[in-house]
Amino acid sequence: MAPDPKQDGGLGHTAPQPPTKPASKDPKKKKEEKKDEDLSEEDLALKQQLELYVERVQDSDPGVQKLALESMRQEIRTSTSSMTSVPKPLKFLRPHYRTLITFYETMSDFELKRYLADIISVLALTMSEEGARESLRYRLLGSIGDIGSWGHEYVRNLAGEIGHEFSKRQLEGNPVDDLMELVKQIVPFHVKHNAEPEAVDLLMEVESLDLLIEHIDEGNYRRACSYLTSFPSILPEQEDKLVLDIAYRIYSKFAKYPDALRVALRMDNIQYVKSTFSACKDLSEKEQLCYLLARQGVTLELDDDMTFEKEDHRELLQGIISNNKLSEGYLTLARDLDVMEPKTAEDIYKAHLIDGRASAGASVDSARQNLAATFVNGFVNAGFGQDKLMTAPSGESSSGASTGTWLFKNKEHGKASAAASLGLILLWDVDGGIPQIDKYLYSNDSHVVAGALLAVGIVNCGIHDDCDPAYALLYDFVNKEDPSIRIGAIMGLGLAYAGSQKEEVLELLTPIITDSKVGVDVAGFAAIALGLVYVGSCHEDVAQSIVLSLMERSEAELGDPLARFLCLGLGLLYLGKQDAADATVEVAKTLNEKITRYCQVTLETCAYAGTGNVLKVQNLLGLCGDHLEKGETYQAPAVLGIALVAMAEELGLEMGIRSLEHLLQYGEQNIRRAVPLALGILSISNPKINVMDTLSRLSHDSDSEVAMAATVSLGLIGAGTNNARIAGMLRNLSSYYYKDPSLLFCVRIAQGLAHMGKGLLTLNPYHSDRFLLSNVALAGILIFLHGCLDIKSIILGKYHYVLYFLVLAMQPRMLITLDENLKPLPVPVRVGQAVDIVGQAGRPKTITGFQTHTTPVLLATGDRAELATEKYIALSSVLEGFVILKENPDYKHDHLST
């Protein structure tokens, strides 16, 4: 209880007397009296008591002062421990705030002065003016002690004022030691009271985030790290790396190696990846790390200190990183879902559901229609190893013809895509696929050979085999005379070794790029291939050779549609690397005016892809507002760039979609042609209703190129989802455009994409709960989109095999649980819509609207899975792809549970 000065002999006579004067005419006083009448007896007594304390604080006797201060302090502390509204003592002391400050200035007793400073500091919480920071000022003058006893709200207010004061002192060059002393008291208080986000915010303000590590323990590291990893995409450059570095160190401190590895991959720090691997001592956990590396497409050569120095362990782990289990897992999923039966293009078109006129277009056996059927067949049966056109035994193909004759139902370059589709059907199955493709490598038809070379690259896409079959098969064909064979071999190398930084490919392809006698098309594909192999590596030699090629080419050659691939190859080297591309952008300014702006914009958009940098989005929107002279094309990659930068986090993504809507209304024609593609990448494999409706509207646009781009984008947003609404829209479009072969071709491609892998695949470059972005996958999508910027010359021309770059982004959207021997282990899991629980108190649910299934299961974009049994413990905190389960040693079998 607070000591009551009324009971103290010397204080009794000063109790406030009831007023004897007649009521004053002053309306202010009237108001106060009315307020007093409204108070309950208890509140009135408290108010009078506090007023008494204020009077006694100003007494000349230090003993009386001390007693009054102690009493006041006790009253305030007991009322501020939990705060939902302004506590009564603070409310009643408000009128006396200035009185206490004035008296404070005149006090001489140092000890009592500090006591009063504490109280004024708390009162300033409700009384001080905006920006005055009086609470902090008097806190620094007050006693050095337990600030937590004044309540949570007071500590939060203090933390906010410290942030402002710190910035001010930094600007003025003043010392901040006293502030840091306070910070060291506040941070443990926040962490102890489950307010880790507030501790992180304060430490960010005072630039001392590393102080957090010592206060985090086993009970709260997950909450702290989930907050730390949730906002790098909205931080300025360099700061994001700092925050992730702290998260990495916390995860490593508690031996949570899969989580630490995810952070290391997000930072793109190969040194951290290796040290995480070396620190992990459990074989099963190491295997889980390998599955994560394989999904991200990182090629890591394991040395002895990473693998317990056992050769069989090293081979096993290296095999997982090489992705050689992917095909097996994908087919396990397909068998479990009973979708192994091959599908034909007719099964996808569903022509019988369309009214009237569709059948007229369907019966025409044109080369364009056959080419479309080839792509649809390839996409739908991707990775299944069997279909009814290319792999059916002789005499059993759907059209009553053998495989060979289907190949020759395509014209010239169409044969290349037909042969390459075999690689798509046999995707990821290197051992079973190469023998089936091999026979086409000896064909007399150069287009068939080109397609077979491309097929070799497609089969090896994402798989790193020790025997290196792709390089061995493709090496000899790169320097052949025929340009189509050269392009096939170059593309094959790019697909097979994307992200691997393989030196031999660099030595093989650099002379092709720098040789000005080589056609722009071959040089363009060589630049793309090297951009893929060295994606996001900022490799100087590759950059120099591409820039050199751009400088030496004539203006006529730079006007070729495929010259844009030279710029894109350069951009891919800096994918996501932000200001590392600045020097190359400066060099790009010296190029021929025909290509210089296109090259600069492509470089910048690639460099800031997936960063969420708002300033870059504003710059790009500014470029889209320019009025162009004839022949300028740089606005199209700027539109794509808006989507690339904005897709980093959900809020930016929504804002990006709104900005693109504005561009549709006010932009010029060349901008409108790129907007559908930008929408396609913003919700790729994620059919959002608003985007779907916009694209549906644009697919009937009077400008055929807008309509084509919108149609292809409908396929992108529905890629691998089997979305019924999109399927219906595309069927209607096929009926609407039955007389226009070009648009009908685009509709067919979109249908193939929407049913890709019979609904088991995704093109989304983000994975691991949308935390990691796969550079290789994004690069594949980017090449396809840049190809679509001139859709008539490239996709509808003779370079339709640019479509196959999408293979780089194809991944099974599955969850397969494995036991410790890496055998499939069916367990119940709950799958539902992911809920963002970052910074929420307690243990909220991470998913909503869930259903319980037995693994293996499919995960749509935005879905999250969690184990529905306590019998096993998952070695990865994110249930996606391959997840290894360990038996829970604390599990007690309940005979009542099924």
Side-chain angles (χ1 to χ4, degrees):
M1 273 293 291
D4 186 357
K6 283 187 193 169
Q7 293 167 3
D8 181 67
L11 298 178
H13 65 282
T14 52
Q17 299 297 317
T20 50
K21 288 189 289 182
S24 162
K25 297 276 185 259
D26 185 356
K28 228 180 188 182
K29 281 189 177 174
K30 253 188 180 177
K31 212 174 183 183
E32 278 176 25
E33 282 169 22
K34 191 168 190 328
K35 260 192 187 173
D36 278 4
E37 286 168 25
D38 289 348
L39 295 175
S40 66
E41 280 182 31
E42 198 178 308
D43 288 354
L44 194 58
L46 176 64
K47 183 172 187 270
Q48 290 173 349
Q49 197 157 320
L50 288 166
E51 285 168 354
L52 174 65
Y53 294 156
V54 171
E55 257 176 64
R56 296 328 304 140
V57 165
Q58 299 169 57
D59 200 290
S60 53
D61 181 352
V64 173
Q65 283 183 354
K66 186 169 184 181
L67 189 61
L69 283 169
E70 274 292 348
S71 310
M72 202 185 296
R73 186 189 183 106
Q74 193 68 26
E75 284 289 358
I76 294 171
R77 275 191 173 177
T78 50
S79 66
T80 52
S81 55
S82 74
M83 211 172 200
T84 46
S85 58
V86 178
K88 292 199 169 92
L90 294 191
K91 203 169 165 185
F92 297 145
L93 284 170
R94 281 173 78 167
H96 308 289
Y97 178 63
R98 293 288 160 208
T99 316
L100 290 172
I101 288 180
T102 313
F103 180 68
Y104 173 83
E105 304 300 337
T106 63
M107 284 177 83
S108 54
D109 188 317
F110 183 66
E111 193 58 41
L112 291 176
K113 206 168 179 180
R114 282 169 69 168
Y115 259 43
L116 183 55
D118 287 351
I119 289 169
I120 294 174
S121 173
V122 179
L123 289 178
L125 181 63
T126 57
M127 277 302 294
S128 70
E129 290 165 22
E130 188 74 31
R133 294 197 281 283
E134 287 180 346
S135 187
L136 175 61
R137 181 183 151 211
Y138 285 102
R139 177 72 244 165
L140 293 171
L141 295 167
S143 52
I144 304 159
D146 173 24
I147 55 171
S149 59
W150 293 106
H152 200 109
E153 199 64 33
Y154 172 66
V155 178
R156 284 176 67 179
N157 178 61
L158 214 49
E161 292 190 4
I162 287 172
H164 293 300
E165 182 68 20
F166 185 87
S167 309
K168 183 170 173 258
R169 289 195 195 180
Q170 287 282 76
L171 285 172
E172 295 167 358
N174 295 332
V176 291
D177 301 349
D178 52 346
L179 294 180
M180 291 313 296
E181 283 305 314
L182 260 184
V183 169
K184 285 173 186 170
Q185 291 178 50
I186 293 174
V187 169
F189 175 82
H190 276 328
V191 171
K192 189 178 163 193
H193 292 84
N194 300 337
E196 295 86 357
E198 288 170 32
V200 171
D201 290 344
L202 173 60
L203 289 171
M204 289 277 291
E205 293 274 0
V206 298
E207 297 167 16
S208 304
L209 198 53
D210 47 348
L211 290 177
L212 181 70
I213 299 172
E214 63 195 72
H215 299 294
I216 296 297
D217 59 33
E218 191 78 43
N220 56 26
Y221 78 89
R222 199 170 285 287
R223 256 199 318 273
C225 287
S226 76
Y227 185 67
L228 283 169
T229 53
S230 67
F231 62 86
S233 53
I234 53 175
L235 285 176
E237 218 172 324
Q238 303 312 327
E239 275 188 43
D240 54 352
K241 290 272 191 291
L242 176 82
V243 171
L244 288 170
D245 189 69
I246 299 296
Y248 173 80
R249 283 157 63 189
I250 293 173
Y251 277 136
S252 299
K253 177 180 169 184
F254 295 104
K256 300 297 173 190
Y257 298 116
D259 290 317
L261 183 67
R262 287 169 69 227
V263 177
L265 289 172
R266 172 74 180 261
M267 293 165 76
D268 200 14
N269 187 328
I270 202 71
Q271 206 45 55
Y272 275 6
V273 170
K274 287 179 178 173
S275 55
T276 306
F277 225 94
S278 302
C280 178
K281 300 299 177 212
D282 181 71
L283 179 62
S284 295
E285 206 161 356
K286 261 190 165 45
E287 288 165 350
Q288 186 64 65
L289 298 183
C290 290
Y291 278 121
L292 188 53
L293 287 173
R295 175 65 181 89
Q296 181 68 353
V298 175
T299 45
L300 183 69
E301 283 300 321
L302 300 176
D303 50 35
D304 288 345
D305 64 321
M306 292 187 194
T307 57
F308 318 120
E309 298 182 8
K310 289 187 180 174
E311 191 56 36
D312 55 337
H313 283 175
R314 201 183 78 79
E315 278 182 26
L316 171 70
L317 296 173
Q318 196 69 61
I320 296 173
I321 292 178
S322 304
N323 237 338
N324 59 19
K325 297 269 193 294
L326 184 59
S327 178
E328 188 187 315
Y330 177 60
L331 292 173
T332 303
L333 172 75
R335 277 190 285 272
D336 192 82
L337 298 174
D338 197 20
V339 290
M340 285 301 289
E341 183 68 28
K343 283 197 171 184
T344 62
E346 285 73 32
D347 296 338
I348 302 304
Y349 300 161
K350 295 199 170 86
H352 61 280
L353 295 177
I354 306 167
D355 301 332
R357 52 190 179 174
S359 53
S363 60
V364 180
D365 191 19
S366 71
R368 172 65 54 91
Q369 289 287 18
N370 288 351
L371 181 60
T374 299
F375 279 115
V376 171
N377 180 61
F379 282 131
V380 171
N381 296 302
F384 285 90
Q386 53 183 2
D387 74 321
K388 291 182 179 175
L389 289 186
M390 297 299 297
T391 61
S394 189
E396 282 186 32
S397 85
S398 64
S399 55
S402 69
T403 306
T405 53
W406 176 258
L407 200 58
F408 294 102
K409 281 193 166 192
N410 291 281
K411 273 186 190 164
E412 300 171 359
H413 43 78
K415 293 176 202 163
S417 281
S421 74
L422 188 56
L424 190 51
I425 292 156
L426 301 162
L427 188 61
W428 306 317
D429 180 13
V430 178
D431 297 340
I434 298 282
Q436 293 193 52
I437 297 164
D438 191 56
K439 60 186 176 193
Y440 294 111
L441 290 172
Y442 308 107
S443 168
N444 296 327
D445 190 317
S446 61
H447 293 293
V448 175
V449 176
L453 294 167
L454 178 50
V456 169
I458 293 171
V459 163
N460 283 278
C461 182
I463 312 290
H464 307 288
D465 199 294
D466 288 346
C467 312
D468 235 1
Y471 186 77
L473 286 167
L474 300 173
Y475 173 80
D476 290 336
F477 292 93
V478 169
N479 292 312
K480 289 272 196 242
E481 287 291 306
D482 191 302
S484 62
I485 290 180
R486 295 182 83 174
I487 289 173
I490 290 166
M491 255 185 91
L493 284 170
L495 290 169
Y497 297 105
S500 68
Q501 300 189 21
K502 192 175 174 69
E503 291 282 331
E504 292 93 323
V505 179
L506 173 65
E507 290 160 15
L508 189 60
L509 298 186
T510 305
I512 296 174
I513 296 174
T514 50
D515 183 355
S516 55
K517 294 188 185 73
V518 170
V520 175
D521 53 354
V522 177
F525 278 106
I528 287 283
L530 276 183
L532 280 174
V533 175
Y534 286 91
V535 66
S537 68
C538 308
H539 197 283
E540 279 185 28
D541 296 351
V542 182
Q544 279 174 359
S545 57
I546 296 176
V547 168
L548 199 63
S549 175
L550 282 165
M551 286 175 169
E552 289 178 353
R553 297 278 169 181
S554 67
E555 189 160 329
E557 285 179 306
L558 292 175
D560 188 288
L562 286 176
R564 70 183 68 224
F565 280 174
L566 283 163
C567 303
L568 182 57
L570 192 57
L572 294 179
L573 295 172
Y574 298 97
L575 194 62
K577 287 288 171 277
Q578 306 193 31
D579 58 4
D582 289 354
T584 315
V585 172
E586 289 305 313
V587 175
K589 289 178 181 172
T590 65
L591 297 174
N592 185 310
E593 61 180 16
K594 186 98 178 160
I595 198 105
T596 174
R597 292 298 296 274
Y598 189 96
C599 194
Q600 288 170 48
V601 173
T602 304
L603 264 169
E604 283 199 14
T605 54
C606 287
Y608 286 88
T611 59
N613 188 313
V614 182
L615 299 175
K616 275 285 166 256
V617 175
Q618 287 173 350
N619 286 353
L620 294 168
L621 281 168
L623 286 178
C624 294
D626 296 348
H627 292 289
L628 296 191
E629 295 169 24
K630 197 92 176 110
E632 283 278 22
T633 55
Y634 67 83
Q635 285 183 328
V639 175
L640 287 184
I642 293 167
L644 284 174
V645 178
M647 70 183 189
E649 34 82 42
E650 287 297 330
L651 189 63
L653 196 144
E654 292 298 331
M655 296 296 286
I657 291 173
R658 285 175 61 183
S659 301
L660 291 170
E661 290 276 0
H662 292 311
L663 288 180
L664 269 181
Q665 288 172 326
Y666 307 115
E668 294 180 11
Q669 206 56 28
N670 55 339
I671 292 175
R672 294 187 77 241
R673 288 170 182 171
V675 167
L677 299 169
L679 286 171
I681 195 171
L682 274 177
S683 62
I684 194 159
S685 288
N686 182 18
K688 294 186 171 180
I689 298 289
N690 56 337
V691 178
M692 211 187 293
D693 289 345
T694 305
L695 291 175
S696 176
R697 189 178 78 239
L698 292 174
S699 63
H700 295 81
D701 200 88
S702 54
D703 182 307
S704 66
E705 287 192 45
V706 175
M708 286 175 196
T711 307
V712 170
S713 289
L714 272 174
L716 286 176
I717 68 167
T721 61
N722 282 351
N723 186 286
R725 193 159 183 256
I726 288 180
M729 284 176 181
L730 292 170
R731 275 198 303 274
N732 292 337
L733 281 173
S734 71
S735 159
Y736 185 72
Y737 288 124
Y738 79 108
K739 280 186 177 170
D740 185 329
S742 298
L743 269 155
L744 188 56
F745 180 77
C746 292
V747 173
R748 297 307 187 206
I749 296 299
Q751 285 179 309
L753 287 172
H755 296 86
M756 191 172 68
K758 299 174 198 161
L760 307 190
L761 294 172
T762 180
L763 288 181
N764 196 339
Y766 279 96
H767 62 100
S768 205
D769 229 357
R770 219 176 182 285
F771 182 66
L772 292 176
L773 171 66
S774 166
N775 271 356
V776 171
L778 183 59
I781 296 165
L782 253 179
I783 297 166
F784 170 67
L785 292 176
H786 273 260
C788 289
L789 290 179
D790 192 348
I791 202 162
K792 286 184 172 168
S793 308
I794 297 176
I795 306 293
L796 297 172
K798 61 177 184 177
Y799 302 107
H800 35 74
Y801 35 77
V802 166
L803 273 164
Y804 288 120
F805 280 113
L806 286 175
V807 173
L808 292 161
M810 284 186 195
Q811 285 290 339
R813 52 188 191 98
M814 63 181 181
L815 163 62
I816 289 190
T817 45
L818 309 170
D819 61 18
E820 290 179 69
N821 301 319
L822 306 187
K823 297 279 180 283
L825 173 67
V827 293
V829 288
R830 288 187 280 267
V831 179
Q833 194 68 31
V835 179
D836 184 10
I837 58 161
V838 173
Q840 288 187 18
R843 297 181 63 187
K845 293 271 186 286
T846 56
I847 56 175
T848 181
F850 61 81
Q851 292 182 321
T852 306
H853 301 284
T854 303
T855 57
V857 294
L858 286 180
L859 297 174
T861 305
D863 275 359
R864 188 181 284 161
E866 56 182 40
L867 287 179
T869 172
E870 290 177 10
K871 189 174 179 182
Y872 297 99
I873 298 170
L875 294 185
S876 167
S877 58
V878 177
L879 300 189
E880 268 179 42
F882 294 95
V883 175
I884 300 170
L885 303 182
K886 267 188 167 177
E887 290 208 3
N888 185 353
D890 304 326
Y891 177 70
K892 289 187 173 55
H893 182 69
D894 180 0
H895 68 283
L896 294 173
S897 66
T898 52

